[in-house]
Amino acid sequence: MALFVMIIRKMVQNKWLVASLFIGLVMSVALVSSMPIYSEAILSRMLVKDLETMQTKKSIYPGNQYNKLFYTKETPEQMNKIFTKVDRYIHEQAQTSFQIPVQQLVVDFQSKSIKIRPVNDPDPDSKKSIKTVTLRSFSDLEEHITLTDGRMPAEQQPVDGVYEVLVTERGLIQFKTVLDSAFYVDDDKIAGEIKFKPVGVIQKKTDDDPYFRDTDLSELSGSFIISDKVAKQHLMQEARIPTASVGWFFVLDYSKLELRFVDDFIQTTNKIRNVMLNNVTLYQTVSETPALDTISKYLERAEQLRTLMWSLNVPVLIMLGFYMFMVSNLIADRQKNEIAVLRSRGAARWQVITSYAVEGIILCGIAFGIGPLLGVLLTELLGASNGFLEFVQRVRLPVRLTEEAYRYGAIAAGICFVIMLIPIIMATRVSIVGHKQQLARLLKSPLWHKMFLDVIALALAIYGLYTFKKRLADLQSLGLNADDLNIDPLQFVVPALFIMGAGLLLLRLYPWVLRLVYWIGKKWWPPSVYATLIQVGRSSTQYQFLMIFLIMTIATGVFSASAARTINNNTEDRIRYGNGAEIILSSQWANDAPPPPAPGAPQPETPVTQAPVHYLEPAFEPFKTIKGVEQAAKVFKKESSFSVNDSSGAATLIGIDTDEFGKTTWFRDSLLDYPINDYLNLLAADSQAVLISKTLAEQNKVKPGDTIWVGWSDVPQQPFKVYGIIDYFPTFNPNPAVGSVDASDESSTGNAPMLIVGHLPRIQVQLALEPYEVWIKLKPETSTAAFYEGLKESKIPVTSIVNTREELVNAKNDPFLMALNGILTLGFVLSILVSFIGFLLYWVLSLRGRTLQNGILRAIGLSLKQLIGMLAVEQLLTSGVAVLIGIAVGNVASRLYVPNFQIAFNPSSLVPPFKVMFDATDLMRIYLLVGFMLIIGLGILAYMLSRLRIHQAIKLGED
């Protein structure tokens, strides 16, 4: 207990150091514990988004899960036994095992086909009036249907020996009957007399009700629908009519499906199937779960996102570890005298280490309790990120404090505990004599300086960059996916190595720079600057720990800002380039094409030659006058054939009106040697002129001035003249399609897509008049809703719309991009916060340690203004230089290593090429935050100097 009280008192005496260390501990634990929380939340959001996309594209409700069991030769007793066993499992266990809400569980009975005949059949001996019907029943059907005619069947069945049933409108037509007309069973398979009477016609209560597997009820057109109670009694228990199958249809609320429930969902689906297979053969079961394919693809994306998230956090984790080591080292330095005294008075090393270990356990224990809770708040913050340092109101992430978060938090706290003890263990090795000798000597060269860790780190970083660029070239030239070459996730750790190596290397050179500055102005420096240069130059190693810390934090912040901006802008550019314009419309053209053959019509014995289709071009002016349209252009695209220089091939032909096209399209000018409008002006000079892609020129040895013949099926080739060669053009991807290149076959590497761009009027006159797209540029103030309203008012027969604005919004909401923005934003904010705390802590302690020196300087005549000036120059030469080096290293690291992130976006199909981007706003934020940090720090230090009393300093010297 006495030891514990002593430790608490020691912590109170060093409260500012302990508080700073505790802040680092909490941030480290919070960051690490937030990773599984954020990972689960963002992956759950991504899963729901993927399922929503599936529902939109395939018109299938992803929450459906259907299991069907067929009966073949089973006896009625066996049927009842199998049904009871499976039904009990589904209702009692499977329903809750999915772990997500079950909106509906529909039990569906179906009889074998039976033959029926009207009771009042005028010709009972004829087979013309015999119909085939199946009996169907659905649990809780009454809640999901409405009657369009007739009434509901009576509850007690049969009524006067007749079973009352429901039918659909199509069923009534197919059976050629009216309501209340009875039928009797005329089938050798059925013993006894059974009669049925349709009494009501039904339809769905709501069109979008997921209760019905068959959305248009077409499968019920040949069925009589009986109540669920009657089906169980007469089909299953009494077996008056042979049962064909029983189905169990789950309608699950897939919007509540989270990452933690995915395994339960898959296992429950498999368990239901296994329960059925335990009772019948494989061929007697059907299990349909539409979401499984989407979930399997999602799991692959989830693994990629997890790897990327952890890789992105490595630099921040290294920085936090560095921060804690720096603070622990400061604590150890301040208490080395105390440790040395304890050692000289007989205390064993383990006793001293134990006392500090108890202190570390207390701090790490509190951080472990608080960190995961703070991790939840960090996750909420990340979920609101709409870009780098941009936050919006959006649906909150499904955040949950998990056991895994505490497990990760415990690991982080344990690592922090080890980092904290390292300086203490090193300090206990020194005796009181050795400690006094170290104080009397100049500081030794740091370990990293002697072991050339800066050179080693830079060498590893450069090697990592080389291997990445080599692999990336293979990806793009061979048309491979990122997974095909097994990219090592350590590629994302390499930037941290580069930042550390470059920072340490520059610090190795820094003392020589200081000496040069001193030598250049030694005749003119004022006393305050002269004294500061002497102080920093002779004791440069004592500042290096702070400087490398500031370099790493600032460089990490710059790198995070650049990476976030680059990823966001490249994603937007890829969408704009791929579409070509803000809006792309296709409209209906009048033509003389023959109508398609009717379904089931006999095929002609000899194939009919298809005559060329002639089109009538609609008026183009209505497109220009749609409300909100700033500019519109005609763009014709067609897969064509070409011949040039005794070679031939296939290429995409694009026909444009150069002036309108240049005003409408979006294009990044840095993609070509000259602005795209210069190429369009070149094309406009001659109606015969065309631009060709570099891929076409290289594969067919074409140069400007050559004649190229272009045409397509049923259209004879016509001559055009090559005026220019371009690498890129709106919508054109020059990279080989994924999987189109065989790495072992060198001849297959020359099949990259090719392009020809020509004048639309000449193509229409010399080749053929065929439908074109209309590209539209909207006025900046025009909303998408206003444009759609104007399009509706124009009554243009539009067949398809591509809206780039909507795709950009969807990309912003993509969980993959949200995760990247959130993590990089968090990395930047933590970098600035940690650098500010570390900076302030170091200088406060440094100033306190130099109280005697500052008091003497005041006593010999230096004013407070001169003393503050000395401090400002000292900060400029240390913290200021470190910040400048950090910004420079961060910029270089960004240009070298931010392209690594394209590996997460399938680089073989990434067009336009990945480009590192810096935004002036981001850099201004960094400069303002760093400037604010330095100014606030200097202000606090100046305030501390102003409180200095000369007599206190002299008294301290006497002590």
Side-chain angles (χ1 to χ4, degrees), residues 593-648:
Q603 296 293 326
E605 295 182 3
T606 58
V608 178
T609 303
Q610 180 68 48
V613 179
H614 300 92
Y615 293 91
L616 182 63
E617 181 179 3
F620 183 65
E621 193 61 30
F623 289 99
K624 293 183 175 181
T625 57
I626 299 173
K627 184 168 60 178
V629 171
E630 181 179 320
Q631 193 68 41
K634 307 173 184 177
V635 181
F636 172 73
K637 298 175 71 176
K638 181 83 173 181
E639 292 302 316
S640 63
S641 59
F642 67 86
S643 300
V644 61
N645 295 342
D646 299 326
S647 62
S648 60

Side-chain angles (χ1 to χ4, degrees), residues 101-117:
V102 177
Q103 295 174 323
Q104 295 290 337
L105 172 53
V106 185
V107 182
D108 165 21
F109 288 95
Q110 182 172 348
S111 74
K112 292 184 178 179
S113 297
I114 56 177
K115 296 176 181 177
I116 57 173
R117 185 189 292 272

Side-chain angles (χ1 to χ4, degrees), residues 416-537:
C416 293
F417 176 73
V418 173
I419 292 174
M420 288 167 56
L421 279 187
I422 291 174
I424 301 298
I425 294 171
M426 294 171 65
T428 57
R429 297 171 59 186
V430 182
S431 64
I432 186 67
V433 176
H435 176 59
K436 295 300 181 182
Q437 286 175 341
Q438 285 183 359
L439 290 177
R441 293 171 182 166
L442 290 174
L443 294 175
K444 298 184 296 183
S445 296
L447 181 65
W448 63 263
H449 198 292
K450 296 177 182 177
M451 297 184 64
F452 291 92
L453 293 181
D454 50 347
V455 178
I456 294 172
L458 269 179
L460 289 173
I462 292 170
Y463 175 74
L465 180 65
Y466 166 76
T467 55
F468 170 79
K469 289 195 175 296
K470 190 173 183 300
R471 290 179 178 181
L472 181 63
D474 290 339
L475 282 173
Q476 293 176 328
S477 63
L478 299 178
L480 301 175
N481 280 314
D483 296 336
D484 293 333
L485 287 185
N486 239 347
I487 295 300
D488 190 347
L490 289 176
Q491 287 288 349
F492 298 105
V493 182
V494 171
L497 281 177
F498 177 84
I499 288 171
M500 185 173 68
L504 291 174
L505 181 64
L506 290 173
L507 284 184
R508 182 188 289 272
L509 304 175
Y510 182 58
W512 299 94
V513 176
L514 273 179
R515 291 179 188 178
L516 178 64
V517 172
Y518 168 75
W519 181 79
I520 290 173
K522 64 180 179 180
K523 294 182 179 180
W524 301 285
W525 298 129
S528 57
V529 176
Y530 180 84
T532 304
L533 284 170
I534 294 293
Q535 164 74 19
V536 177

Side-chain angles (χ1 to χ4, degrees), residues 125-140:
D125 297 326
S126 171
K127 294 184 178 182
K128 291 182 180 180
S129 55
I130 290 180
K131 305 290 183 183
T132 300
V133 70
T134 57
L135 298 181
R136 300 289 300 272
S137 75
F138 303 90
S139 57
D140 303 319

